Amino acid sequence: MSNQTYDVVVVGGGNAALCAALSAREKGASVLVLERAPEDKRGGNSAFTGGGFRMVHHGTEDIKKVVPDLTEEEIGRSDFGTYTAGDYLDDLGRITQYYIDPDLAEAIVNNSFETVLWMRSRGARFIPNYGRQAYNVNGRFKFFGGIVIYANGGGRGLMELLYKSLETHGIPVRYRAQAQELLRDDRGITGVRARIDGREEIINARSVVLACGGFEANREMRTRYLGPGFDMAKVRGTRYNTGDGIQMALDIGAQSYGQWSGCHSVAWERYAGDFGDVEHPHAGYRHSYPFGIMVNSEGQRFVDEGADFRNYTYAKYGRVVLQQPGSFAWQIFDQQVKHVMRDEYKLRGATKVVADTLEGLVEKMQDVHPQNFLDTVRDYNAAVKQDVPFDPNVRDGRTTVGLAVNKTNWANTLEKPPFEAYSVGCGITFTFGGLKINPTSHVLDTEDTPIPGLYAAGELVGGLYYFNYPGSTGLMAGAVFGKIAGQEAAQYVAANPR
Ligand SMILES: Cc1cc2nc3c(=O)[nH]c(=O)nc-3n(C[C@H](O)[C@H](O)[C@H](O)COP(=O)(O)OP(=O)(O)OC[C@H]3O[C@@H](n4cnc5c(N)ncnc54)[C@H](O)[C@@H]3O)c2cc1C
């Protein structure tokens, strides 16, 4: 047992945790970070991300504040649009069927832009997301779906810069440090019991920020809470988020909150590894389905691939794929949409088949009913409203008409060979259920009373997402509540001397 007592111990080593650590330090607290992973695997799911941040902005002037070195040439060819607080709240409400905790939603939205600027002041760097959030149409990039910026270097770049910032600000990190129990007395939190490098230690702390992820990497909890079949899902990111923080807090009386049976899960390379590979974090992405079709083993379409921008549908379609017979599907494209397909489709490891005819294609598509598939494509092709022009930057209204499952936007006939098909399964990103916090990131007990000295941020916060999730809110919410948690913890310690 070390004799030192830290003002703030942060459990976790991802985006939410590092924001909490930096903001607590900024407020004058002594801080220790406990990261379960070894140093070379640090950074949690945050390191696997594309680095997208969904923030409020009012156009070019705001984007220039976040990306000061934007060139005139870049500005000239960009239409950043605006994304107001009203837009953001509408998206959070609409996408979660209006179950999102309204106080937490407002906290995310109202702090989003300032928090990104603050992250910049702590060393993070951002750039516009050309190519993924804006396609080149006649030389101009029009941004869509509420996301303009992402961290330079993606999630890994972000984590490198934030870890560097920890060093600059004198915040120690202990690796291979798995927090296992929260310690408290009648006045509040007193520390953490952790297993560090295989040895048990008691870390004394005046306050604790839990930012150690959801339970997506815990196969048993997945099956118990998300339902049968989720044991078969592939984990897109880190193996270390096994629900420890949630369990530790529940054990001392914290309140469970949010949709425990819900998760963010996507159509993902069918034969991907059990966990993500941080060297190739995006290899399993199969996010171009709005421009093609998806069929199941019965050769049937089962979902509106073009219901909305990818940002607003991808997080719920993993579960839909999982629910298909055999828990897999195929995505089919032709050469007309090749130019808008994401790069990951070209990477090694994709389960891909190619043929010059649809008959030849389905012969190669493992376990798909051939005649049903050919009928599906014939009916789909006949139903495409071809008089509406295709435009990937807007909800173009190029729909199908008269099908049992229509495609609402970006419907293109499958007619230009060679045809390509990619097999997908379900990849889980993170879980929705977790702890209840208030807008100051304080963890609440089962009577809605704050547990003195206990704060939480990031994936393990419940009450944010239900059924679905608007893309790039995870990093933003983690940063907002992480920053608040750090500053609140520091202020709590200063105001409550022992
Ligand atoms: C492939 C992929 C792409 C994504 N792309 C985006 C994107 O572009 N934009 C976006 O907003 N979101 C994205 N997300 C979601 C995003 O990763 C999460 O919402 C966000 O990173 C969660 O941050 P966090 O700090 O809560 O958790 P994490 O970054 O996962 O950090 C949790 C940390 O806790 C540590 N830990 C776990 N248990 C313990 C313990 N007992 N003791 C100590 N430490 C522990 C872990 O090692 C890890 O360091 C993506 C996710 C994946 C997997």
Side-chain angles (χ1 to χ4, degrees), residues 47-60:
F48 287 80
T49 69
F53 277 74
R54 178 176 293 270
M55 65 165 196
V56 168
H57 73 90
H58 299 95
T60 306

Side-chain angles (χ1 to χ4, degrees), residues 137-178:
V137 174
N138 301 328
R140 258 181 95 66
F141 289 82
K142 181 176 166 56
F143 284 80
F144 57 81
I147 310 169
V148 171
I149 58 144
Y150 73 130
N152 199 359
R156 276 185 105 179
L158 176 69
M159 296 321 293
E160 282 310 310
L161 290 175
L162 292 182
Y163 271 101
K164 200 177 279 176
S165 191
L166 251 53
E167 250 176 76
T168 310
H169 293 93
I171 303 171
V173 182
R174 297 194 66 184
Y175 295 102
R176 296 181 188 276
Q178 181 180 13

